[in-house]
Amino acid sequence: MTGRARARLLSPVLAAPLLCAMAPGDMSIAAFLARAGSLERLGPLALATPQGHQLKNEVIAAGRRYKARIDAERRAGRKTTSCPPESGSLTPEQWLAHLRSYPERLRGRISIYAAFDALMKKRYPCPA
């Protein structure tokens, strides 16, 4: 095996612990949109694929992390960054439109969690 072949084989193996170490919601917008783009051709069946489940779980995890933070801020008596209702809904189309609203040059630096937080600030601003 040549050095190049070995390097190509080892790269994914060495990267796996880094990918597994990411907290839910830490995927970048760019990575999320790239994966979502490859699934869009499947239409509603996309959610039935393992990759579709992974993307859905990424958004759910970001939402749970967000809610935990908001709840902790409320319990501590601090002002929250947004004032969402106890329950709500977000369609995949609304979510993808929000992600696509970010300039391409920034998408690799912004996490799904940060994007979720920004969407909640926009949709549910606190009364002044």
Side-chain angles (χ1 to χ4, degrees):
M1 185 179 284
T2 68
R4 265 194 184 153
R6 191 175 300 124
R8 274 186 286 177
L9 180 63
L10 286 177
S11 293
V13 172
L14 295 175
L18 294 174
L19 295 174
C20 294
M22 285 178 34
D26 283 347
M27 179 186 291
S28 73
I29 292 173
F32 189 97
L33 288 175
R35 292 178 184 181
S38 69
L39 293 174
E40 282 184 314
R41 67 182 174 1
L42 298 175
L45 296 176
L47 288 176
T49 67
Q51 195 169 23
H53 282 290
Q54 181 190 15
L55 294 179
K56 179 182 175 185
N57 289 338
E58 191 76 14
V59 178
I60 290 170
R64 286 183 179 150
R65 228 169 111 185
Y66 164 82
K67 182 166 178 12
R69 192 193 83 231
I70 292 291
D71 289 348
E73 288 173 349
R74 286 179 178 156
R75 280 192 304 274
R78 291 190 302 262
K79 186 177 178 186
T80 59
T81 56
S82 56
C83 295
E86 278 303 310
S87 65
S89 63
L90 179 65
T91 67
E93 293 78 18
Q94 291 169 323
W95 175 244
L96 290 172
H98 173 69
L99 295 181
R100 289 179 178 133
S101 73
Y102 285 88
E104 282 191 43
R105 61 183 165 68
L106 298 178
R107 292 177 184 174
R109 292 184 252 155
I110 300 171
S111 70
I112 293 301
Y113 175 70
F116 191 92
D117 186 57
L119 180 60
M120 294 298 105
K121 286 177 187 175
K122 188 166 99 178
R123 285 182 75 169
Y124 305 109
C126 292

